[in-house]
Amino acid sequence: SRLDVHMTRLAVFGGLPLEGYEDANDRTDEQEAKLDAYLSTLYPKIEAARVRYEDELKVRWLGSNEVFADYVTETVNTDVRLVFGSIVFVFLYVLYHTRSFFLTWVSIWGVILCFPAGAFWSIVVCRVVFFDPLNIFLLFILLGLGADGIFIAFDAWTQSEEGLPHWR
């Protein structure tokens, strides 16, 4: 008979003490580093299986800080590429709307510079040094709000010509 499995779970348990150590308190940092290094070698293998069976396999990570850090770094790198793609798209759309390369260039740089200015204010002035990787999403929000501001300012400038008397 054939048995179809629609769901399974793999749990890799690791604990201290590792072989060669007296107990969990014997060079704890060294033991945890070895455990994280081992789990980090599993990550590429499981990730390759996830990609191969993308429609059929869902992977959720719990546990190792090292593996979680690798996963977050990979996710943030993907999101940063999306940010650059979004900047290019918004740049081209603003260029289409304003029909001015200079105005578009200056406007987009004004929007982009909001992020380091905000980071400076947060870190230096407010002394908040924690930077969560999810803060990268702020770039999307700043880009959207900045582009909206560009459109409003440009349209107001264009429409102001109609409301003023012509002086000669």
Side-chain angles (χ1 to χ4, degrees), residues 15-161:
L16 305 180
L18 296 178
E19 188 176 331
Y21 295 90
E22 291 181 23
D23 59 25
N25 296 322
D26 181 19
R27 298 170 288 174
T28 306
D29 291 340
E30 188 179 311
Q31 289 187 69
E32 288 177 354
K34 284 184 177 183
L35 189 58
D36 281 344
Y38 169 71
L39 292 174
S40 291
T41 62
L42 290 180
Y43 177 72
K45 295 173 186 173
I46 294 175
E47 185 63 17
R50 185 193 65 79
V51 169
R52 183 174 177 195
Y53 301 105
E54 189 169 355
D55 296 334
E56 304 156 15
L57 181 65
K58 303 290 184 222
V59 176
R60 304 284 185 256
W61 288 98
L62 299 173
S64 170
N65 292 335
E66 191 70 30
V67 171
F68 183 71
D70 290 345
Y71 182 72
V72 168
T73 300
E74 181 181 318
T75 303
V76 167
N77 288 340
T78 302
D79 293 343
V80 167
R81 284 189 291 253
L82 291 174
V83 167
F84 288 123
S86 298
I87 290 171
V88 169
F89 174 77
V90 170
F91 181 88
L92 293 173
Y93 192 76
V94 171
L95 181 63
Y96 170 77
H97 185 74
T98 62
R99 307 239 191 277
S100 167
F101 184 81
F102 176 75
L103 185 60
T104 300
W105 182 258
V106 170
S107 301
I108 294 297
W109 269 107
V111 171
I112 292 171
L113 290 176
C114 287
F115 192 75
F120 172 81
W121 182 264
S122 175
I123 294 168
V124 175
V125 177
C126 298
R127 300 192 188 277
V128 178
V129 295
F130 175 73
F131 185 85
D132 192 292
L134 293 176
N135 289 354
I136 296 295
F137 292 120
L138 289 174
L139 290 173
F140 290 107
I141 295 169
L142 287 174
L143 191 59
L145 290 173
D148 187 51
I150 294 166
F151 295 140
I152 291 171
F154 182 78
D155 289 344
W157 177 265
T158 304
Q159 293 171 10
S160 70
E161 187 175 52

